[in-house]
């Protein structure tokens, strides 16, 4: 499963990513695609990618807009399933849940 986070701005991003990482019962990737934010978004995403092997992060070279950035998330996703997660949202415990399948193992993040 790919949990895809389209980002433009770091506000709420830490809370969003923290809510997705407890999903240690799933084999998943947490993909963060920054749409050329002018703040510390890229650095924050790189930090999560460095600390959590299931997390991958990338940035665009120029602002592409909401739809193009979501499309980029889908292009980069490697999971059989995609769970969109908005940067200002949080996953409740158990979501996406055991129905997503996959092996049990620790969560991880990459740049």
């Amino acid at each position: 499963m790919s949990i895809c986070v389209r980002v433009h701005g770091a506000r709420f991003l830490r809370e969003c990513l923290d809510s997705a990482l407890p999903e240690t019962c799933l084999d998943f990737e947490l993909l963060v695609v920054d749409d050329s934010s002018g703040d510390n978004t890229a650095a924050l995403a790189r930090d999560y990618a460095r600390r959590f092997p299931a997390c991958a992060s990338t940035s665009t070279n120029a602002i592409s807009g909401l739809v193009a950035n979501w499309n980029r998330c889908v292009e980069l996703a490697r999971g059989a399933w995609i769970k969109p997660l908005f940067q200002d949202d949080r996953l409740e415990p158990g979501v996406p849940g055991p129905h997503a399948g996959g092996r049990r193992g620790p969560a991880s993040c990459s740049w």
Side-chain angles (χ1 to χ4, degrees):
M1 169 171 286
S2 297
I3 300 174
C4 296
V5 183
R6 173 255 175 238
V7 181
H8 186 78
R11 187 173 182 204
F12 306 116
L13 182 58
R14 186 177 308 277
E15 293 87 349
C16 172
L17 298 180
D18 286 345
S19 77
L21 288 170
E23 293 303 323
T24 59
C25 64
L26 299 174
D27 184 14
F28 73 97
E29 69 174 338
L30 177 58
L31 181 59
V32 181
V33 179
D34 175 32
D35 196 17
S36 292
S37 302
D39 57 10
N40 68 331
T41 300
L44 179 61
R46 279 193 307 268
D47 179 58
Y48 273 79
R50 182 182 48 75
R51 293 186 296 132
F52 302 100
C55 185
S57 175
T58 188
S59 293
T60 59
N61 292 327
I63 296 174
S64 59
L66 178 74
V67 174
N69 202 7
W70 273 121
N71 287 339
R72 182 73 177 139
C73 286
V74 171
E75 289 171 7
L76 294 172
R78 297 175 300 182
W81 297 90
I82 294 175
K83 167 63 180 157
L85 181 61
F86 291 87
Q87 73 191 43
D88 60 349
D89 289 342
R90 292 181 295 171
L91 288 178
E92 291 295 322
V95 175
H99 62 278
R103 65 175 173 74
R104 293 184 181 271
S108 54
C109 265
S110 56
W111 178 261

